Amino acid sequence: PRRGAEERVAAESGAPLWSVHSAQGERGTMEDFWAVELDGAFAAVYDGHGGWAVSKYLELALFDQVCSLLELGDELTLVAGDEKLSVTKQQPERALVLALACLEADVSAVREWRHQGSTCAVCCLVQDLAPEAAQDGATGEAQA
């Protein structure tokens, strides 16, 4: 598991591309996780509530879910809960909303996670699309 501080720098200039720091505090286990992909173009922090499992699941799954949604053709329509949602390759912010909805369904289906959740802050920077997308979300019990 990734803990403490980490930084990635640009090879040419040595300037920081991104940096993170995490601290466990007084709890017996670390409930928070983070993910940085594509040299910082996708960054997320997952703040666990009531346990670490949901945050860890989101760390491992959210980026791949967003990428999968963006790769599936020009127009994709999914049913998430009671909503019908659609996304195109030109709508990364919509893919992020859909990915969170899909992962929320996954989290809700796991009985052991019934009293856990994770608030997440996600930033997705997209070149050549305006405006850049930023989306936040919550899963599990953190929605309350």
Side-chain angles (χ1 to χ4, degrees):
R2 298 181 278 190
R3 298 286 184 266
E6 187 172 328
E7 180 176 276
R8 178 148 316 149
V9 296
E12 314 80 55
S13 67
L17 293 173
W18 57 265
S19 177
V20 298
H21 177 80
S22 60
Q24 183 170 320
E26 296 185 22
R27 292 190 185 269
T29 60
M30 178 63 142
E31 295 183 354
D32 305 334
F33 293 89
W34 55 269
V36 178
E37 305 288 347
L38 303 174
D39 284 330
F42 177 94
V45 176
Y46 309 104
D47 179 17
H49 296 259
W52 59 269
V54 174
S55 290
K56 184 64 177 175
Y57 174 67
L58 293 175
E59 175 201 15
L60 297 173
L62 182 58
F63 177 72
D64 290 340
Q65 182 73 34
V66 170
C67 290
S68 294
L69 289 169
L70 290 173
E71 291 172 2
L72 290 174
D74 285 339
E75 179 82 25
L76 172 67
T77 301
L78 293 178
V79 176
D82 296 331
E83 279 189 88
K84 243 181 141 175
L85 305 168
S86 62
V87 64
T88 68
K89 287 182 181 180
Q90 290 73 39
Q91 296 176 304
E93 70 283 359
R94 196 74 169 143
L96 200 47
V97 170
L98 279 170
L100 287 167
C102 291
L103 296 177
E104 167 62 21
D106 292 350
V107 167
S108 296
V110 179
R111 183 183 171 121
E112 293 80 18
W113 295 350
R114 194 166 285 161
H115 299 290
Q116 291 189 39
S118 180
T119 301
C120 59
V122 182
C123 182
C124 184
L125 304 176
V126 181
Q127 191 173 16
D128 299 329
L129 292 179
E132 286 83 34
Q135 180 69 42
D136 68 346
T139 59
E141 63 83 32
Q143 288 188 346

